[in-house]
Amino acid sequence: QVQLVESGGGLVQAGDSLRLSCAANGRTFSSYNMAWFRQGPGKEREFVAAIRRGDDSTYYADSVKERFTISRDNDKNTVYLLMNSLKPEDTAVYYCAATSGIFLMIKQTYNYWGQGTQVTVSS
């Protein structure tokens, strides 16, 4: 069982940066693949970024490549999402998720979810 708690959301202007954090409980954090998803108003929850356990390989949605960076600190049981050059279309609730599965861009793969943190980008 893994419990995830996101933080760091807020209201920013277009072009600003923001860093989200997701703290996990338990001693097995390093054994999970971790990801960020988001859900905008009236939209489906979509994949944003993922980081693989072990080798820390990263994967990104095309819409955030070159702007967002996912990272993890296994000593702190925390995964981060650094978001640069934010756009109004990045406005969404951002969710942290954990899985032992292998299809990292598919939300059905993920067993554990946080409660989400709101990110609002004004133009």
Side-chain angles (χ1 to χ4, degrees):
Q1 188 82 8
V2 177
Q3 292 184 327
L4 304 172
V5 179
E6 301 97 334
S7 61
L11 172 63
V12 298
Q13 293 187 330
D16 284 352
S17 298
L18 205 57
R19 191 179 78 158
L20 305 183
S21 299
C22 172
N25 70 351
R27 295 175 290 177
T28 58
F29 175 77
S30 62
S31 68
Y32 287 95
N33 300 311
M34 302 297 298
W36 290 93
F37 286 75
R38 67 185 181 187
Q39 188 165 11
K43 297 182 179 180
E44 295 281 329
R45 191 171 298 190
E46 64 176 4
F47 171 78
V48 175
I51 185 165
R52 190 177 296 279
R53 63 187 175 190
D55 65 4
D56 286 355
S57 296
T58 56
Y59 308 87
Y60 297 94
D62 288 344
S63 59
V64 306
K65 276 180 184 175
E66 309 302 331
R67 297 190 300 122
F68 289 13
T69 303
I70 188 171
S71 61
R72 66 191 298 163
D73 186 335
N74 290 333
D75 291 335
K76 295 183 178 179
N77 284 3
T78 301
V79 62
Y80 304 98
L81 185 67
L82 176 61
M83 304 184 293
N84 294 323
S85 302
L86 282 161
K87 304 175 182 180
E89 50 263 45
D90 294 318
T91 294
V93 178
Y94 283 72
Y95 296 90
C96 174
T99 184
S100 300
I102 61 174
F103 300 106
L104 300 190
M105 296 185 181
I106 308 299
K107 59 180 180 284
Q108 288 83 356
T109 297
Y110 290 84
N111 312 99
Y112 305 105
W113 293 85
Q115 82 290 347
T117 186
Q118 176 71 48
V119 173
T120 303
V121 185
S122 63
S123 56

